[in-house]
Amino acid sequence: MARTPIPNALQMRDVKYGEASEAERDRLAGALRAQGRRAEALLLYERQPNHPSLREEADWAAGQGAGFHLLAVQRGGREIPEAQFRACAAAAEQRGRWMEARLCYEAVGDSAELARIAEHLPVTLRPESEEG
């Protein structure tokens, strides 16, 4: 019987938290990435913040304006430079993904950029104006 390339959710839990080898986690993460299942793949790199694939994931996220994904890479322990957050915000704006841009500008603490894009954000997420 042929082996399924991507385990089911319970098997994935065992791979992530069990005693699977680093090579097995890398193989599964690569298979997930190949299928466009990038968020799931990130979970398998959790113990390896300097894994080369995480650099690729950060580059992909910045190019696509995927701020949430970029933050997930950072939460996994990889250092994300400010320039990469700004590139991600710019790509997100070009795609009209204002919430993703907001995440990136918040990550770098740029209140001027947050104010600039405020009109595109839900009222409850807009920065408070200095007038009120």
Side-chain angles (χ1 to χ4, degrees):
M1 182 181 237
R3 188 173 150 174
T4 305
I6 305 295
N8 67 37
L10 290 174
Q11 293 166 328
M12 286 296 287
R13 181 189 64 190
D14 290 340
V15 170
K16 182 178 177 192
Y17 298 112
E19 296 182 21
S21 69
E22 186 174 313
E24 178 67 5
R25 283 192 302 273
D26 282 352
R27 184 191 70 73
L28 287 173
L32 288 164
R33 290 175 67 211
Q35 292 184 14
R37 296 167 62 176
R38 293 174 174 277
E40 292 172 86
L42 287 183
L43 298 173
L44 296 173
Y45 296 121
E46 201 168 72
R47 302 175 197 169
Q48 308 170 67
N50 295 316
H51 194 285
S53 294
L54 288 178
R55 184 182 79 313
E56 294 170 12
E57 286 299 302
D59 291 344
W60 174 86
Q64 295 297 311
F68 185 80
H69 195 77
L70 189 58
L71 284 169
V73 172
Q74 183 184 49
R75 279 190 301 275
R78 182 150 190 98
E79 188 172 327
I80 305 296
E82 182 175 329
Q84 200 159 31
F85 275 114
R86 291 187 181 282
C88 185
E93 284 187 49
Q94 289 175 342
R95 290 169 172 79
R97 297 170 66 183
W98 301 103
M99 293 297 290
E100 302 270 5
R102 175 183 173 268
L103 289 172
C104 293
Y105 290 133
E106 283 186 332
V108 298
D110 193 331
S111 57
E113 289 295 326
L114 286 167
R116 183 182 62 77
I117 67 167
E119 69 181 278
H120 301 286
L121 301 173
V123 174
T124 57
L125 295 177
R126 293 178 183 171
E128 292 183 24
S129 67
E130 295 178 11
E131 298 169 2

